[in-house]
Amino acid sequence: MRFSLTGAAAALLLASFVPSGAQAQMVMGATNWTGFYLGANVGGAWGTGKESFNPALPGGHSTTGDINIRGPFGGGTAGFNWGSPSGFVWGIEGDIDGTGIGGSKNCPGAAPGINCGVSNSWQGTVRGRLGWAPGAGNLLWFVTGGAAFGDINAVGGAPVVHGSNTEVGWTAGAGAEYMFAPQWSAKLEYRHVDLGSDSFACPAASCGVATSVKASYNNDAILAGLNFHFGAPPPPPPAPAALPAPPPAAAKVFIVFFDWDRDTITPEGQAIIQQAADAYRAGAPVQIQVTGYTDRSGSPGYNQRLSERRANNVARALAALGVPKTQMAVSGRGENDNRVPTAPGVREPQNRRVEIVAP
């Protein structure tokens, strides 16, 4: 299947551009993979080519057999990623490379020094990518696959006859990409490319018999790349946690601490509740505040429910010690109003508490 160079460039250009509105930010944990990017890549390839002759060359030789090919390549990359907070990343990517990949061997049945060869001087791809960044972090593992296009150049005979056409085939691979700085990533990738085959005529003066030459080409490649991500500015610094307001000077505050992810009152906590009940009975009747809190190691919704269970358990223990339920205002504040300000996800014992405040 033939594919013009102009068509290949247009396909790559189409894959590279997206509507400007699609570049909206989506921050995923510490790393934002969403957005348009440009980059460069270099690598090396190895593989096999083959020339087949129909009809066969004089002496009954119908094929060169496998021709070992190898060489370097390098060029540019463009793509767009979409990401999710769970760490999955999918997108489209294209590249275009100049190459020095090729190889040759003695033509079958020909005198020494008369070689048949297969080479490739440029190739490109347009591919889909599916990846996963564990913990929505900086390291992205991905698989990729799609269309490949490039030229297949074949030579043979004496005098030399040359055939060249652009072909479309397929490519597939896998790799890893690491965001080592805000907006900059480096990748290492394996890729297989199969461009199919190309045919050209070889006259009797060159091949000994008028024949049609069919040249096939495929390679495996290892490449390294460097990308700049336009849609991934550094994440904003976390907002500082609000410091809790100091209690009124005349208020009595009793604090009951809890184990991580538990609403069960410990023996030490029960002793604090006993002190609070004794203080209530020793003073004038007032409404006391029973407020539950958590640390920031869970989701906000889960932490809110856990803080309410802790507050209700303490209120029931106070009621059992003679504090009327009608004299208690019971509530939960979740992960808000930390005693010790922390970043999200930190298990801080001082924040897992219920405060009993008697004005």
Side-chain angles (χ1 to χ4, degrees), residues 131-237:
W132 180 56
N138 291 14
L139 179 61
L140 174 69
W141 300 94
F142 63 87
V143 294
T144 184
F149 42 90
D151 64 346
I152 300 178
N153 305 305
V155 297
V160 172
V161 175
H162 178 275
S164 177
N165 278 309
T166 298
E167 303 294 333
V168 171
W170 61 273
T171 182
E177 187 169 357
Y178 185 72
M179 193 82 73
F180 63 87
Q183 298 183 258
W184 287 98
S185 69
K187 71 174 181 178
L188 186 64
E189 182 176 344
Y190 160 80
R191 202 183 295 167
H192 178 81
V193 172
D194 190 331
L195 292 180
S197 61
D198 171 34
S199 297
F200 70 99
C202 184
S206 296
C207 290
V209 61
T211 185
S212 173
V213 182
K214 182 178 181 181
S216 62
Y217 173 96
N218 68 83
N219 71 46
D220 296 279
I222 296 292
L223 63 94
L226 181 68
N227 293 326
F228 179 80
H229 298 255
F230 293 90

Side-chain angles (χ1 to χ4, degrees), residues 320-358:
L321 294 173
V323 180
K325 290 184 178 180
T326 56
Q327 293 299 107
M328 290 184 278
V330 183
S331 64
R333 291 283 293 151
E335 61 185 51
N336 298 297
D337 302 332
N338 296 153
R339 294 190 81 220
V340 179
T342 69
V346 175
R347 300 179 181 182
E348 172 52 55
Q350 291 289 309
N351 294 335
R352 303 193 294 266
R353 71 199 190 280
V354 168
E355 294 185 356
I356 307 169
V357 181

Side-chain angles (χ1 to χ4, degrees), residues 262-344:
R262 295 289 185 272
D263 59 9
T264 306
I265 298 171
T266 65
E268 295 81 1
Q270 185 63 41
I272 298 298
I273 295 171
Q274 180 68 61
Q275 294 175 22
D278 293 343
Y280 174 83
R281 291 194 300 269
V286 294
Q287 185 182 61
I288 61 176
Q289 308 290 325
V290 181
T291 309
Y293 302 87
T294 70
D295 60 24
R296 305 188 71 190
S297 61
S299 69
Y302 179 86
N303 286 341
Q304 178 63 34
R305 295 189 294 273
L306 178 58
S307 70
E308 292 170 1
R309 293 199 302 272
R310 288 172 176 172
N312 286 325
N313 286 348
V314 170
R316 282 191 285 269
L318 284 169
L321 294 173
V323 180
K325 290 184 178 180
T326 56
Q327 293 299 107
M328 290 184 278
V330 183
S331 64
R333 291 283 293 151
E335 61 185 51
N336 298 297
D337 302 332
N338 296 153
R339 294 190 81 220
V340 179
T342 69

Side-chain angles (χ1 to χ4, degrees), residues 25-34 82-90 132-137:
Q25 304 302 310
M26 179 183 289
V27 175
M28 304 163 3
T31 304
N32 181 3
W33 288 99
T34 298
W82 292 266
S84 70
S86 62
F88 285 100
V89 179
W90 56 98
W132 180 56

